[in-house]
Amino acid sequence: MNADKYEHLVVSDPKQSNKQRTLNIHEMRPDEIKEKARIHALTWQETYHDLLPASSNSRVTPEFAEEVTRTINLDQLVAYVDDKMVGYASTSFSCRPAFKRDCAEIGHLYVLKEYQGLGIGTYLIEAIKDLYPGRDLALGCLVTNYSAQAFYQKMGFINTGNIFIGDSQDPNDREVEFFLKVRKD
């Protein structure tokens, strides 16, 4: 990933009279794991509090997220606005078997609610494309997370209709596959 491309980007905040904010995205450093884990747990709770049972949500704590970050070998991108971490993406060069295709996978892409609408998610997708140049992308999205599905479709992803149970193996954790063709074949 060309790190300079995602440093010192200027975004307008429509919630603050289009105040100019500085966005920086880079590959996560080891000293950022604890803060990334805090953002992981917080964005999970913001996103799924009405979409998944409390029993599923309660297990995603900062400690759980830190353990996942340290033990699962994923590429991690972090997003900062004005020197505050506000989002992240966890990605892998290859997909889980449920996708039945050879492509990179976006495992997580989350932005704190108060920072949504600034283009951070769009920049994270672009940074992921740069991380895996020429590689198609896939992701699983909770079947009831319609706002995320709309975002991914706006970004050019196609809902394939492939529905599968997510990694938690909880029957409530049904995901639908989204796919973005990047390769020029």
Side-chain angles (χ1 to χ4, degrees), residues 7 9 15-16 23 31 48 66 69 76 84 89 93 101 110 114 129 136 146 148 156 159 162 165 173-174 177 183 185:
E7 296 291 319
L9 300 167
K15 299 170 196 145
Q16 295 187 2
L23 171 64
D31 65 316
Y48 298 113
E66 183 176 346
T69 302
Q76 305 277 348
K84 176 183 177 183
F93 183 79
R101 61 178 82 233
Y110 294 100
E114 68 181 280
K129 288 183 198 174
D136 295 337
Y146 303 116
N159 180 334
N162 175 24
I165 301 296
D173 183 13
R174 293 182 4 176
E177 176 187 29
R183 281 191 298 239
D185 24 70

Side-chain angles (χ1 to χ4, degrees), residues 1-9 23-27 77-78 123-133:
M1 183 179 95
N2 178 357
D4 293 340
K5 184 175 178 180
Y6 300 99
E7 296 291 319
H8 309 295
L9 300 167
L23 171 64
N24 293 293
I25 296 173
H26 62 262
E27 292 185 58
L77 299 175
V78 290
Y123 279 115
L124 281 166
I125 295 281
E126 292 304 315
I128 292 165
K129 288 183 198 174
D130 284 350
L131 195 60
Y132 307 115

Side-chain angles (χ1 to χ4, degrees), residues 31-85:
D31 65 316
E32 296 173 307
I33 290 175
K34 282 197 179 297
E35 182 62 7
K36 182 267 172 189
R38 189 185 74 77
I39 297 299
H40 179 148
L42 185 55
T43 56
W44 180 276
Q45 300 303 327
E46 288 179 341
T47 302
Y48 298 113
H49 74 279
D50 289 333
L51 299 176
L52 288 173
S55 59
S56 295
N57 285 333
S58 63
R59 68 183 180 83
V60 182
T61 63
E63 296 77 19
F64 171 85
E66 183 176 346
E67 182 180 335
V68 167
T69 302
R70 289 184 188 282
T71 59
I72 298 177
N73 187 22
L74 298 174
D75 295 312
Q76 305 277 348
L77 299 175
V78 290
Y80 284 80
V81 170
D82 300 334
D83 299 320
K84 176 183 177 183
M85 189 184 294

Side-chain angles (χ1 to χ4, degrees), residues 146-165:
Y146 303 116
S147 62
Q149 291 181 34
F151 167 74
Y152 292 122
Q153 287 174 323
K154 182 177 129 192
M155 294 300 303
F157 284 79
I158 296 168
N159 180 334
T160 68
N162 175 24
I163 295 176
F164 56 93
I165 301 296

